Amino acid sequence: MKILLLGKNGQVGWELQRSLTVLGEVVALDRQTVASAYGDLTGDLSNLDGLRATIRLVQPDVIVNAAAYTAVDKAESERELAHTVNALASQVMAEEARQLDALLVHYSTDYVFDGSGDCAWKETDAVSPVNYYGATKLEGEQLIEASGCKYLIFRTSWVYAARGNNFAKTMLRLAKDRQSLNVIADQIGAPTGADLLADIATAAAVQALAKPELCGVYHLAPAGEVSWHAYAQYVVDFARANGEQLAVQEINPIGTIEYPTPARRPLNSRLNTEKLRHNFALHLPDWQSGVTRMLMESLNK
Ligand code: NDP
């Protein structure tokens, strides 16, 4: 089996480079153009012709798209680029997947919803993004669905990875220097490890290749829910319990309204994952287990 992976160096893309290797040959690209046995390949999603040509050269059985324009605030002003990368490039991948009868694996976001209420969003709930990033991700989903290709779309939330920066590491850094921190307490979701997103996508892709009726949109996040404020408290408590010297004395809960950003954020990022767990017979761990593992790695415990 041949797999084309786009966005290989992002949080999720990096983990997919690991998880996909057991399925077959992985041709992994970032936005650079590279010479390969297939010819010159580009994974630049703003170059739609180059992307189409690359897929035609590689002729993959599976296209996995981990690339996206993810700068949520910047997307408000850099609209054309965000739209090209998140919507139009998804359409190119979907059209080419359809021609090749390949499976397209793609990631989307809880930001397709407006964040109202306090129920966990189901795949069938009405979409209504509150920012431009969410709108482009939704359009990407719709273009994939309209193409007639075989696809798996995983909507997720609050992604972190052990590699690079993340919210927990930022909290730890600040907690070392500052006596008090202010953290948003009215946005609720589940911190989702990039490793979990890669592993579940890989396991689900294997099943969907054998049973194409499993294709569709799925919500994917660990079990449980937390606010950013309680998440920060969890991180600080864990670090202290493991011997870290922290200056922080208080973590103050603040409202989203007190932390204005160019793009609005939905308050309710809860995702109902029943469809995924049922259709693929997969288990989702609670969010604490992934966060704890990441903290142990970064604290060298
Ligand atoms: P990252 O921002 O870590 O990675 C995105 C990758 O896309 C980066 O490697 C980036 O490359 C690449 N990229 C951006 N623009 C282009 C382009 N024009 N051409 C090629 N590559 C490009 O994102 P995540 O791994 O966190 O996100 C994976 C998926 O999950 C995305 O679909 C995202 O929308 C979704 N998601 C993410 C959430 C989050 O909290 N991060 C929440 C919900 C969903 P470079 O580094 O060079 O810019």
Side-chain angles (χ1 to χ4, degrees):
M1 175 152 41
K2 201 189 306 169
I3 301 141
L4 176 62
L5 169 62
L6 296 151
K8 70 171 184 171
N9 289 324
Q11 298 192 95
V12 178
W14 179 256
E15 291 295 334
L16 282 161
Q17 285 197 60
R18 169 188 55 76
S19 67
L20 291 170
T21 49
V22 294
L23 301 190
E25 179 197 353
V26 181
V27 179
L29 300 174
D30 59 15
R31 63 172 85 215
Q32 312 302 329
T33 299
V34 288
S36 79
Y38 299 102
D40 284 354
L41 305 178
T42 180
D44 181 353
L45 271 57
S46 67
N47 175 356
L48 299 179
D49 291 340
L51 177 64
R52 197 182 289 281
T54 292
I55 298 169
R56 289 183 183 178
L57 284 170
V58 177
Q59 302 212 349
D61 304 293
V62 183
I63 302 171
V64 183
N65 180 27
Y69 186 107
T70 54
V72 175
D73 288 318
K74 216 167 148 195
E76 296 295 320
S77 49
E78 220 172 20
R79 291 192 165 215
E80 196 180 338
L81 181 58
H83 181 251
T84 301
V85 172
N86 289 348
L88 301 183
S90 307
Q91 181 179 33
V92 168
M93 288 178 224
E95 286 171 356
E96 295 304 313
R98 171 95 172 86
Q99 287 298 320
L100 293 165
D101 195 29
L103 172 68
L104 174 60
V105 178
H106 180 79
Y107 292 92
S108 189
T109 169
D110 69 279
Y111 282 17
V112 300
F113 299 113
D114 66 8
S116 59
D118 53 13
C119 293
W121 297 103
K122 290 185 184 164
E123 290 81 353
T124 46
D125 285 334
V127 287
S128 177
V130 298
N131 57 43
Y132 191 67
Y133 163 79
T136 61
K137 293 295 292 183
L138 175 59
E139 192 179 333
E141 288 187 6
Q142 291 166 338
L143 290 166
I144 291 170
E145 285 165 35
S147 73
C149 77
K150 291 182 292 188
Y151 66 87
L152 288 171
I153 296 174
F154 298 106
R155 288 183 186 146
T156 188
S157 72
W158 295 20
V159 178
Y160 67 87
R163 184 169 175 259
N165 279 329
N166 62 46
F167 173 83
K169 289 186 194 174
T170 303
M171 287 301 118
L172 281 181
R173 182 168 45 78
L174 296 175
K176 282 187 179 147
D177 300 333
R178 298 195 193 167
Q179 295 235 315
S180 105
L181 299 175
N182 296 334
V183 186
I184 289 173
D186 57 355
Q187 291 175 25
I188 311 291
T192 306
D195 50 355
L196 181 72
L197 289 169
D199 291 345
I200 295 276
T202 302
V206 170
Q207 293 192 44
L209 284 166
K211 280 174 75 181
E213 61 272 26
L214 289 172
C215 287
V217 177
Y218 289 91
H219 288 178
L220 169 49
E225 62 182 56
V226 68
S227 69
W228 290 111
H229 174 263
Y231 180 14
Q233 190 69 58
Y234 180 88
V235 168
V236 164
D237 290 348
F238 180 88
R240 275 224 167 91
N242 284 277
E244 289 294 300
Q245 299 298 315
L246 303 177
V248 76
Q249 297 301 324
E250 49 185 19
I251 304 179
N252 305 310
I254 62 166
T256 299
I257 203 155
E258 295 171 74
Y259 190 76
T261 49
R264 268 181 67 200
R265 302 293 197 278
L267 297 182
N268 176 17
S269 289
R270 297 170 180 89
L271 291 172
N272 180 318
T273 60
E274 199 181 328
K275 180 182 171 191
L276 177 106
R277 287 181 285 113
H278 177 264
N279 281 10
F280 293 103
L282 287 169
H283 172 74
L284 291 169
D286 59 28
W287 66 265
Q288 292 94 331
S289 61
V291 167
T292 304
R293 191 178 158 82
M294 178 263 294
L295 288 171
M296 289 175 83
E297 283 176 16
S298 70
L299 296 172
N300 249 333
K301 294 296 169 193

